[in-house]
Amino acid sequence: MAAAPVWSVDPRTGKQREQVAVEATAREVDAAVRAAHAARGSLADRTVRAAFLRTAADQLQAAKDQLVEVADAETALGPVRLTGELARTCYQLRAFADIVDEGAFLDVVINHPDDTATPPIPDLRRYKVPLGVVAVYSASNFPFAFSVPGGDTASALAAGCPVVVKAHPDHPALSELVAIVLRRAAAEHGIPEGVLGLVHGFEAGVELVKHPLVTAAGFTGSVRGGRALFDAAAARPVPIPFHGELGSLNPVLITEAAAAERAEAIGTGLAGSMTLGVGQFCVKPGLVLAPAGDAGDRLLKSLTDAVSDVDSGVLLDHRMRDNFLAGVAERAELPDVESPVTAGAGGEHTVSPGFLTVPAGKLATEGEHDLLLEECFGPLTVVARYADEDEAKSVLSRLPGNLTATVHLSGGEAAGEGRGPELLAELTPLAGRVLVNGWPTGVAVAAAQHHGGPYPATTSTSTSVGGTAIERWLRPVAYQGAPEALLPAELRDENPLGIPRRFNGVLER
């Protein structure tokens, strides 16, 4: 594999600015993975691990001004958005440090022998151990939270797994700077810098998922790219878990009663959600089922006014801009599709937001309008107007898996009247997060969070956000009949580490 330069590109102009790094060769990928593999032992001590994560957060925060400046130069996301994203990333690192300290993620279960059971139970002790080196594939739209220091990296390190990150080509300079900060934090705790590897280049990403010492992978990106890596992970002589976030339409259902009750507020809220970050959020509402009739007309007028007031913005790169413009044009040309606010080129390097409308019946059966059921990355949504509940239900039944699904109910429906409970049940199979009277943009870092969903939203049932994201990088091991002197401290009767556990059927905290 020939080496090639990696350039920093200005998304506002599409021009190259400076050479940042060189695309990694197969030999360099191998070296990064082997260095990470050799660093596994340095993460064995949970106290050291937690301290490393907190130091990483502190040092990222200390370097905020430089990091945000470089991130904005490469992504055009703006200092306000990027500062908030960096703060979220630091919070996430500290949250995982707390999880490591607590130890409940180890799922310790101890059963003493019981000859009276049928069949008899021997001495069994179970907990979870780290898988090994994790490959992380950065996303373009979150250069901190889903990139080098993001949730995949933070949760893998918290689990005790070294990481090799494949940098995203949209922010190579930032990736290099962040890697330096994280390695410096590691060194403060005696952890080898190889605990965090960084490689650039498409071929490097392919080599990474195929490397025999890589034990799992986390990916955030497109369906096409993610599916190719997913298939490569499954085709290895020893297949590995591949936790990929690939794409999501994030449907929204608005009941007729909700529209009658607050059409204007729903229209304004939808405009804010679909245009947030120039529509470059993975949970952007891309399909909205709204009623036909007067209430639906009022909702569309509110949406039209609000979207019309949103300025044009810069997408992450010119390839995405070209794809967005082509996607909008192709969808707008379909029969019976209208554009109350036309999305398109806002200037030489920007795009303007808009939305399309279509009778919901056009989506209820397979046909040329199926294109409207595919994600269009950028500030565009499709409003499908349904004539009755059966028509809306028919459209929902045809949707693929999603990260989120949202329903807007009236006050009475939200209180359990009418079809409120039924609608919630209909949306649950579609997504990993179901919202009522809210908007999906904004994914809180919380213990109860789930950021995942049925395929193609994700390739596994796990979450990439929240405390349980750590579970992706662990596997259970049970010891049977092992003398206490040979057991790890986590599995000894006296519980010297004070870990929450289930001891002979009793939950101990």
Side-chain angles (χ1 to χ4, degrees), residues 384-444:
R385 303 197 65 180
Y386 62 87
D388 52 41
E389 293 176 352
D390 288 340
E391 195 170 64
K393 188 174 181 179
S394 295
V395 176
L396 289 175
S397 71
R398 300 196 62 236
L399 298 185
N402 292 271
L403 294 170
T404 70
T406 300
V407 61
H408 278 265
L409 304 172
S410 68
E413 290 170 328
E417 300 173 4
R419 293 185 66 235
E422 180 184 342
L423 291 175
L424 205 64
E426 288 177 6
L427 292 179
T428 298
L430 292 178
R433 180 162 57 104
V434 179
L435 296 90
V436 178
N437 292 347
W439 299 105
T441 38
V443 184

Short mmCIF file of all heavy atoms in Angstrom, two decimals, residues 384-444:
data_model
loop_
_atom_site.label_atom_id
_atom_site.label_comp_id
_atom_site.label_asym_id
_atom_site.label_seq_id
_atom_site.Cartn_x
_atom_site.Cartn_y
_atom_site.Cartn_z
N ALA A 384 -44.86 13.65 5.01
CA ALA A 384 -45.85 12.81 4.35
C ALA A 384 -47.20 13.04 5.01
O ALA A 384 -47.37 12.77 6.20
CB ALA A 384 -45.45 11.34 4.43
N ARG A 385 -48.17 13.50 4.25
CA ARG A 385 -49.47 13.86 4.82
C ARG A 385 -50.44 12.69 4.66
O ARG A 385 -50.72 12.23 3.56
CB ARG A 385 -50.00 15.12 4.15
CG ARG A 385 -49.01 16.29 4.28
CD ARG A 385 -49.65 17.60 4.00
NE ARG A 385 -50.68 17.92 5.00
CZ ARG A 385 -51.41 19.04 4.97
NH1 ARG A 385 -51.21 19.94 4.01
NH2 ARG A 385 -52.32 19.26 5.90
N TYR A 386 -50.92 12.21 5.80
CA TYR A 386 -51.78 11.02 5.79
C TYR A 386 -53.25 11.41 5.91
O TYR A 386 -53.60 12.39 6.59
CB TYR A 386 -51.38 10.05 6.90
CG TYR A 386 -51.51 10.57 8.31
CD1 TYR A 386 -52.72 10.45 9.01
CD2 TYR A 386 -50.43 11.16 8.97
CE1 TYR A 386 -52.84 10.92 10.31
CE2 TYR A 386 -50.54 11.62 10.28
CZ TYR A 386 -51.75 11.51 10.94
OH TYR A 386 -51.88 11.97 12.23
N ALA A 387 -54.10 10.62 5.23
CA ALA A 387 -55.54 10.89 5.23
C ALA A 387 -56.22 10.32 6.46
O ALA A 387 -57.22 10.87 6.93
CB ALA A 387 -56.18 10.33 3.97
N ASP A 388 -55.69 9.19 6.97
CA ASP A 388 -56.30 8.57 8.14
C ASP A 388 -55.24 7.74 8.87
O ASP A 388 -54.10 7.61 8.40
CB ASP A 388 -57.49 7.69 7.75
CG ASP A 388 -57.17 6.68 6.66
OD1 ASP A 388 -56.07 6.07 6.71
OD2 ASP A 388 -57.99 6.50 5.75
N GLU A 389 -55.62 7.18 10.00
CA GLU A 389 -54.67 6.45 10.83
C GLU A 389 -54.13 5.21 10.13
O GLU A 389 -52.95 4.86 10.28
CB GLU A 389 -55.33 6.05 12.15
CG GLU A 389 -55.67 7.24 13.04
CD GLU A 389 -56.41 6.83 14.30
OE1 GLU A 389 -56.80 5.63 14.41
OE2 GLU A 389 -56.60 7.69 15.19
N ASP A 390 -54.96 4.55 9.35
CA ASP A 390 -54.50 3.34 8.66
C ASP A 390 -53.40 3.67 7.65
O ASP A 390 -52.46 2.88 7.47
CB ASP A 390 -55.68 2.66 7.94
CG ASP A 390 -56.64 1.99 8.92
OD1 ASP A 390 -56.22 1.72 10.07
OD2 ASP A 390 -57.80 1.75 8.54
N GLU A 391 -53.53 4.80 6.98
CA GLU A 391 -52.51 5.19 6.01
C GLU A 391 -51.18 5.48 6.70
O GLU A 391 -50.12 5.06 6.22
CB GLU A 391 -52.97 6.42 5.23
CG GLU A 391 -52.17 6.68 3.97
CD GLU A 391 -52.81 7.76 3.12
OE1 GLU A 391 -52.91 8.92 3.58
OE2 GLU A 391 -53.23 7.43 1.99
N ALA A 392 -51.24 6.16 7.83
CA ALA A 392 -50.01 6.43 8.58
C ALA A 392 -49.39 5.12 9.07
O ALA A 392 -48.16 4.94 9.00
CB ALA A 392 -50.32 7.34 9.78
N LYS A 393 -50.23 4.22 9.54
CA LYS A 393 -49.73 2.93 10.03
C LYS A 393 -49.08 2.13 8.91
O LYS A 393 -48.07 1.45 9.12
CB LYS A 393 -50.88 2.15 10.65
CG LYS A 393 -50.46 0.88 11.38
CD LYS A 393 -51.64 0.25 12.10
CE LYS A 393 -51.22 -1.00 12.86
NZ LYS A 393 -52.37 -1.60 13.59
N SER A 394 -49.62 2.22 7.70
CA SER A 394 -49.04 1.50 6.56
C SER A 394 -47.65 2.01 6.24
O SER A 394 -46.75 1.22 5.91
CB SER A 394 -49.95 1.66 5.33
OG SER A 394 -51.20 1.04 5.54
N VAL A 395 -47.44 3.31 6.35
CA VAL A 395 -46.11 3.87 6.10
C VAL A 395 -45.13 3.41 7.18
O VAL A 395 -44.01 2.98 6.88
CB VAL A 395 -46.15 5.41 6.02
CG1 VAL A 395 -44.74 5.97 5.86
CG2 VAL A 395 -47.04 5.85 4.87
N LEU A 396 -45.55 3.47 8.43
CA LEU A 396 -44.68 3.05 9.52
C LEU A 396 -44.25 1.59 9.36
O LEU A 396 -43.10 1.23 9.66
CB LEU A 396 -45.39 3.22 10.87
CG LEU A 396 -45.61 4.65 11.35
CD1 LEU A 396 -46.42 4.65 12.64
CD2 LEU A 396 -44.27 5.36 11.58
N SER A 397 -45.14 0.76 8.85
CA SER A 397 -44.84 -0.66 8.71
C SER A 397 -43.76 -0.93 7.67
O SER A 397 -43.18 -2.02 7.66
CB SER A 397 -46.11 -1.43 8.34
OG SER A 397 -46.51 -1.14 7.01
N ARG A 398 -43.46 0.04 6.82
CA ARG A 398 -42.48 -0.15 5.76
C ARG A 398 -41.11 0.42 6.12
O ARG A 398 -40.16 0.28 5.34
CB ARG A 398 -42.97 0.52 4.47
CG ARG A 398 -44.28 -0.04 3.94
CD ARG A 398 -44.50 0.37 2.49
NE ARG A 398 -43.44 -0.17 1.66
CZ ARG A 398 -42.66 0.57 0.87
NH1 ARG A 398 -42.79 1.89 0.85
NH2 ARG A 398 -41.74 0.01 0.13
N LEU A 399 -40.98 1.05 7.28
CA LEU A 399 -39.74 1.72 7.61
C LEU A 399 -38.68 0.74 8.09
O LEU A 399 -38.98 -0.22 8.79
CB LEU A 399 -39.97 2.78 8.68
CG LEU A 399 -40.92 3.93 8.30
CD1 LEU A 399 -40.95 4.95 9.43
CD2 LEU A 399 -40.52 4.58 7.00
N PRO A 400 -37.41 1.01 7.76
CA PRO A 400 -36.30 0.21 8.30
C PRO A 400 -36.01 0.61 9.74
O PRO A 400 -36.70 1.47 10.31
CB PRO A 400 -35.13 0.59 7.39
CG PRO A 400 -35.44 2.01 6.98
CD PRO A 400 -36.94 2.07 6.86
N GLY A 401 -35.00 -0.02 10.36
CA GLY A 401 -34.63 0.32 11.72
C GLY A 401 -34.07 1.73 11.84
O GLY A 401 -33.45 2.25 10.91
N ASN A 402 -34.28 2.35 13.00
CA ASN A 402 -33.87 3.73 13.22
C ASN A 402 -33.25 3.91 14.59
O ASN A 402 -33.48 3.11 15.50
CB ASN A 402 -35.07 4.66 13.10
CG ASN A 402 -35.61 4.76 11.70
OD1 ASN A 402 -35.17 5.60 10.93
ND2 ASN A 402 -36.56 3.89 11.35
N LEU A 403 -32.49 4.97 14.74
CA LEU A 403 -31.98 5.35 16.05
C LEU A 403 -33.11 5.85 16.94
O LEU A 403 -33.16 5.56 18.13
CB LEU A 403 -30.90 6.42 15.91
CG LEU A 403 -29.60 6.01 15.21
CD1 LEU A 403 -28.75 7.24 14.94
CD2 LEU A 403 -28.84 5.01 16.05
N THR A 404 -34.00 6.66 16.34
CA THR A 404 -35.09 7.25 17.12
C THR A 404 -36.40 7.15 16.36
O THR A 404 -36.44 7.05 15.13
CB THR A 404 -34.83 8.74 17.43
OG1 THR A 404 -34.95 9.50 16.21
CG2 THR A 404 -33.46 8.95 18.03
N ALA A 405 -37.48 7.21 17.11
CA ALA A 405 -38.83 7.37 16.55
C ALA A 405 -39.59 8.26 17.53
O ALA A 405 -39.48 8.10 18.74
CB ALA A 405 -39.53 6.03 16.39
N THR A 406 -40.34 9.21 16.98
CA THR A 406 -40.98 10.23 17.81
C THR A 406 -42.48 10.28 17.52
O THR A 406 -42.89 10.15 16.37
CB THR A 406 -40.36 11.63 17.52
OG1 THR A 406 -38.97 11.59 17.81
CG2 THR A 406 -41.03 12.70 18.35
N VAL A 407 -43.27 10.48 18.55
CA VAL A 407 -44.70 10.70 18.38
C VAL A 407 -45.10 11.97 19.12
O VAL A 407 -44.66 12.21 20.25
CB VAL A 407 -45.53 9.48 18.87
CG1 VAL A 407 -45.31 9.21 20.36
CG2 VAL A 407 -47.00 9.68 18.56
N HIS A 408 -45.87 12.80 18.44
CA HIS A 408 -46.43 13.99 19.08
C HIS A 408 -47.91 13.75 19.33
O HIS A 408 -48.68 13.51 18.40
CB HIS A 408 -46.20 15.23 18.20
CG HIS A 408 -44.84 15.81 18.38
ND1 HIS A 408 -44.57 16.84 19.25
CD2 HIS A 408 -43.65 15.46 17.83
CE1 HIS A 408 -43.27 17.12 19.22
NE2 HIS A 408 -42.70 16.30 18.36
N LEU A 409 -48.29 13.79 20.60
CA LEU A 409 -49.64 13.49 21.05
C LEU A 409 -50.29 14.73 21.64
O LEU A 409 -49.62 15.67 22.08
CB LEU A 409 -49.59 12.40 22.13
CG LEU A 409 -48.90 11.08 21.77
CD1 LEU A 409 -48.78 10.21 23.02
CD2 LEU A 409 -49.66 10.35 20.67
N SER A 410 -51.60 14.70 21.68
CA SER A 410 -52.33 15.76 22.38
C SER A 410 -52.22 15.52 23.88
O SER A 410 -51.74 14.47 24.33
CB SER A 410 -53.80 15.73 21.97
OG SER A 410 -54.42 14.54 22.46
N GLY A 411 -52.67 16.48 24.66
CA GLY A 411 -52.63 16.32 26.11
C GLY A 411 -53.42 15.10 26.57
O GLY A 411 -52.96 14.34 27.43
N GLY A 412 -54.59 14.89 25.98
CA GLY A 412 -55.39 13.74 26.35
C GLY A 412 -54.74 12.43 25.95
O GLY A 412 -54.73 11.46 26.73
N GLU A 413 -54.18 12.38 24.74
CA GLU A 413 -53.51 11.16 24.28
C GLU A 413 -52.29 10.84 25.16
O GLU A 413 -52.02 9.68 25.47
CB GLU A 413 -53.08 11.32 22.83
CG GLU A 413 -54.25 11.33 21.85
CD GLU A 413 -53.83 11.73 20.45
OE1 GLU A 413 -52.87 12.55 20.32
OE2 GLU A 413 -54.46 11.27 19.47
N ALA A 414 -51.58 11.89 25.56
CA ALA A 414 -50.41 11.68 26.41
C ALA A 414 -50.81 11.17 27.79
O ALA A 414 -50.02 10.52 28.49
CB ALA A 414 -49.61 12.97 26.55
N ALA A 415 -52.04 11.45 28.18
CA ALA A 415 -52.54 10.98 29.47
C ALA A 415 -53.12 9.57 29.39
O ALA A 415 -53.66 9.05 30.37
CB ALA A 415 -53.61 11.94 30.00
N GLY A 416 -53.03 8.96 28.21
CA GLY A 416 -53.49 7.58 28.06
C GLY A 416 -54.80 7.44 27.35
O GLY A 416 -55.29 6.32 27.19
N GLU A 417 -55.37 8.54 26.88
CA GLU A 417 -56.65 8.46 26.18
C GLU A 417 -56.43 8.08 24.72
O GLU A 417 -55.35 8.28 24.16
CB GLU A 417 -57.38 9.81 26.26
CG GLU A 417 -57.69 10.27 27.68
CD GLU A 417 -58.26 11.68 27.71
OE1 GLU A 417 -58.47 12.25 26.63
OE2 GLU A 417 -58.45 12.21 28.82
N GLY A 418 -57.45 7.58 24.08
CA GLY A 418 -57.39 7.29 22.65
C GLY A 418 -56.30 6.29 22.30
O GLY A 418 -56.10 5.28 22.99
N ARG A 419 -55.54 6.59 21.23
CA ARG A 419 -54.56 5.65 20.71
C ARG A 419 -53.15 5.91 21.23
O ARG A 419 -52.19 5.36 20.70
CB ARG A 419 -54.54 5.70 19.18
CG ARG A 419 -55.83 5.19 18.53
CD ARG A 419 -55.70 5.15 17.02
NE ARG A 419 -54.71 4.18 16.60
CZ ARG A 419 -53.67 4.46 15.81
NH1 ARG A 419 -53.45 5.70 15.44
NH2 ARG A 419 -52.84 3.51 15.45
N GLY A 420 -52.99 6.75 22.24
CA GLY A 420 -51.66 7.06 22.74
C GLY A 420 -50.82 5.83 23.05
O GLY A 420 -49.72 5.66 22.49
N PRO A 421 -51.27 4.93 23.93
CA PRO A 421 -50.48 3.74 24.25
C PRO A 421 -50.23 2.86 23.03
O PRO A 421 -49.14 2.28 22.87
CB PRO A 421 -51.34 3.02 25.28
CG PRO A 421 -52.20 4.10 25.88
CD PRO A 421 -52.48 5.04 24.76
N GLU A 422 -51.21 2.77 22.14
CA GLU A 422 -51.07 1.93 20.95
C GLU A 422 -49.99 2.48 20.02
O GLU A 422 -49.19 1.73 19.46
CB GLU A 422 -52.41 1.86 20.22
CG GLU A 422 -52.38 1.01 18.95
CD GLU A 422 -53.72 1.05 18.21
OE1 GLU A 422 -54.74 1.42 18.84
OE2 GLU A 422 -53.73 0.72 17.02
N LEU A 423 -49.96 3.80 19.86
CA LEU A 423 -48.96 4.41 18.98
C LEU A 423 -47.55 4.21 19.52
O LEU A 423 -46.61 3.95 18.76
CB LEU A 423 -49.26 5.91 18.82
CG LEU A 423 -50.52 6.24 18.03
CD1 LEU A 423 -50.77 7.73 18.04
CD2 LEU A 423 -50.40 5.73 16.60
N LEU A 424 -47.40 4.33 20.82
CA LEU A 424 -46.09 4.10 21.42
C LEU A 424 -45.64 2.66 21.15
O LEU A 424 -44.47 2.42 20.83
CB LEU A 424 -46.15 4.37 22.92
CG LEU A 424 -44.83 4.77 23.59
CD1 LEU A 424 -44.32 6.09 23.05
CD2 LEU A 424 -45.00 4.85 25.10
N ALA A 425 -46.55 1.73 21.26
CA ALA A 425 -46.22 0.33 21.01
C ALA A 425 -45.86 0.10 19.54
O ALA A 425 -45.00 -0.72 19.22
CB ALA A 425 -47.40 -0.55 21.40
N GLU A 426 -46.51 0.83 18.63
CA GLU A 426 -46.21 0.68 17.20
C GLU A 426 -44.83 1.22 16.85
O GLU A 426 -44.17 0.71 15.95
CB GLU A 426 -47.28 1.39 16.38
CG GLU A 426 -48.63 0.70 16.38
CD GLU A 426 -49.67 1.47 15.61
OE1 GLU A 426 -49.32 2.50 14.98
OE2 GLU A 426 -50.85 1.08 15.64
N LEU A 427 -44.39 2.26 17.55
CA LEU A 427 -43.09 2.86 17.26
C LEU A 427 -41.93 2.09 17.89
O LEU A 427 -40.80 2.13 17.39
CB LEU A 427 -43.06 4.31 17.75
CG LEU A 427 -43.95 5.31 17.02
CD1 LEU A 427 -43.81 6.69 17.63
CD2 LEU A 427 -43.61 5.36 15.53
N THR A 428 -42.19 1.40 18.99
CA THR A 428 -41.11 0.73 19.72
C THR A 428 -40.29 -0.23 18.88
O THR A 428 -39.05 -0.25 18.99
CB THR A 428 -41.68 0.03 20.97
OG1 THR A 428 -42.25 1.02 21.84
CG2 THR A 428 -40.61 -0.73 21.72
N PRO A 429 -40.88 -1.05 17.99
CA PRO A 429 -40.04 -1.95 17.19
C PRO A 429 -39.15 -1.24 16.18
O PRO A 429 -38.23 -1.86 15.63
CB PRO A 429 -41.08 -2.84 16.46
CG PRO A 429 -42.33 -2.70 17.24
CD PRO A 429 -42.32 -1.32 17.79
N LEU A 430 -39.41 0.05 15.94
CA LEU A 430 -38.68 0.76 14.89
C LEU A 430 -37.37 1.36 15.34
O LEU A 430 -36.53 1.69 14.50
CB LEU A 430 -39.56 1.90 14.33
CG LEU A 430 -40.80 1.51 13.54
CD1 LEU A 430 -41.55 2.77 13.13
CD2 LEU A 430 -40.42 0.69 12.32
N ALA A 431 -37.17 1.56 16.64
CA ALA A 431 -36.04 2.38 17.06
C ALA A 431 -35.54 2.01 18.44
O ALA A 431 -36.22 1.35 19.22
CB ALA A 431 -36.45 3.87 17.05
N GLY A 432 -34.33 2.48 18.74
CA GLY A 432 -33.74 2.26 20.05
C GLY A 432 -34.13 3.31 21.07
O GLY A 432 -34.00 3.09 22.27
N ARG A 433 -34.58 4.47 20.61
CA ARG A 433 -35.04 5.54 21.52
C ARG A 433 -36.36 6.07 20.99
O ARG A 433 -36.44 6.51 19.83
CB ARG A 433 -34.00 6.65 21.63
CG ARG A 433 -34.40 7.80 22.55
CD ARG A 433 -33.19 8.65 22.99
NE ARG A 433 -32.45 9.21 21.88
CZ ARG A 433 -32.51 10.49 21.47
NH1 ARG A 433 -33.26 11.35 22.14
NH2 ARG A 433 -31.79 10.91 20.46
N VAL A 434 -37.40 6.02 21.79
CA VAL A 434 -38.73 6.47 21.40
C VAL A 434 -39.07 7.72 22.21
O VAL A 434 -39.04 7.69 23.44
CB VAL A 434 -39.78 5.36 21.63
CG1 VAL A 434 -41.17 5.85 21.24
CG2 VAL A 434 -39.41 4.11 20.84
N LEU A 435 -39.40 8.80 21.51
CA LEU A 435 -39.67 10.09 22.16
C LEU A 435 -41.14 10.44 22.08
O LEU A 435 -41.80 10.15 21.08
CB LEU A 435 -38.87 11.21 21.51
CG LEU A 435 -37.35 11.15 21.57
CD1 LEU A 435 -36.78 10.41 20.37
CD2 LEU A 435 -36.77 12.56 21.61
N VAL A 436 -41.63 11.08 23.11
CA VAL A 436 -43.00 11.59 23.15
C VAL A 436 -42.95 13.10 23.34
O VAL A 436 -42.36 13.60 24.30
CB VAL A 436 -43.82 10.93 24.28
CG1 VAL A 436 -45.23 11.52 24.32
CG2 VAL A 436 -43.88 9.42 24.09
N ASN A 437 -43.55 13.82 22.38
CA ASN A 437 -43.65 15.28 22.45
C ASN A 437 -42.29 15.95 22.63
O ASN A 437 -42.13 16.89 23.42
CB ASN A 437 -44.61 15.69 23.57
CG ASN A 437 -46.05 15.30 23.27
OD1 ASN A 437 -46.38 14.95 22.14
ND2 ASN A 437 -46.90 15.35 24.28
N GLY A 438 -41.31 15.48 21.90
CA GLY A 438 -39.99 16.09 21.91
C GLY A 438 -39.38 15.99 20.53
O GLY A 438 -40.05 15.66 19.55
N TRP A 439 -38.07 16.26 20.46
CA TRP A 439 -37.35 16.17 19.18
C TRP A 439 -36.08 15.38 19.39
O TRP A 439 -35.43 15.50 20.43
CB TRP A 439 -37.07 17.57 18.63
CG TRP A 439 -38.34 18.31 18.37
CD1 TRP A 439 -38.88 19.32 19.10
CD2 TRP A 439 -39.28 18.03 17.31
NE1 TRP A 439 -40.09 19.71 18.57
CE2 TRP A 439 -40.36 18.94 17.47
CE3 TRP A 439 -39.30 17.12 16.25
CZ2 TRP A 439 -41.45 18.94 16.61
CZ3 TRP A 439 -40.39 17.14 15.38
CH2 TRP A 439 -41.45 18.04 15.56
N PRO A 440 -35.69 14.57 18.43
CA PRO A 440 -34.61 13.60 18.66
C PRO A 440 -33.21 14.18 18.69
O PRO A 440 -32.30 13.54 19.23
CB PRO A 440 -34.76 12.62 17.50
CG PRO A 440 -35.41 13.43 16.41
CD PRO A 440 -36.34 14.37 17.12
N THR A 441 -33.00 15.35 18.11
CA THR A 441 -31.67 15.93 18.09
C THR A 441 -31.24 16.29 19.51
O THR A 441 -31.97 16.97 20.23
CB THR A 441 -31.63 17.17 17.18
OG1 THR A 441 -32.85 17.90 17.32
CG2 THR A 441 -31.46 16.75 15.73
N GLY A 442 -30.04 15.82 19.87
CA GLY A 442 -29.56 15.95 21.24
C GLY A 442 -29.60 14.60 21.90
O GLY A 442 -30.69 14.06 22.15
N VAL A 443 -28.43 14.02 22.14
CA VAL A 443 -28.34 12.68 22.74
C VAL A 443 -27.61 12.82 24.07
O VAL A 443 -26.39 12.98 24.10
CB VAL A 443 -27.60 11.70 21.81
CG1 VAL A 443 -27.61 10.30 22.41
CG2 VAL A 443 -28.23 11.69 20.42
N ALA A 444 -28.35 12.80 25.15
CA ALA A 444 -27.76 13.02 26.47
C ALA A 444 -26.84 11.88 26.86
O ALA A 444 -27.10 10.71 26.57
CB ALA A 444 -28.87 13.16 27.51
#
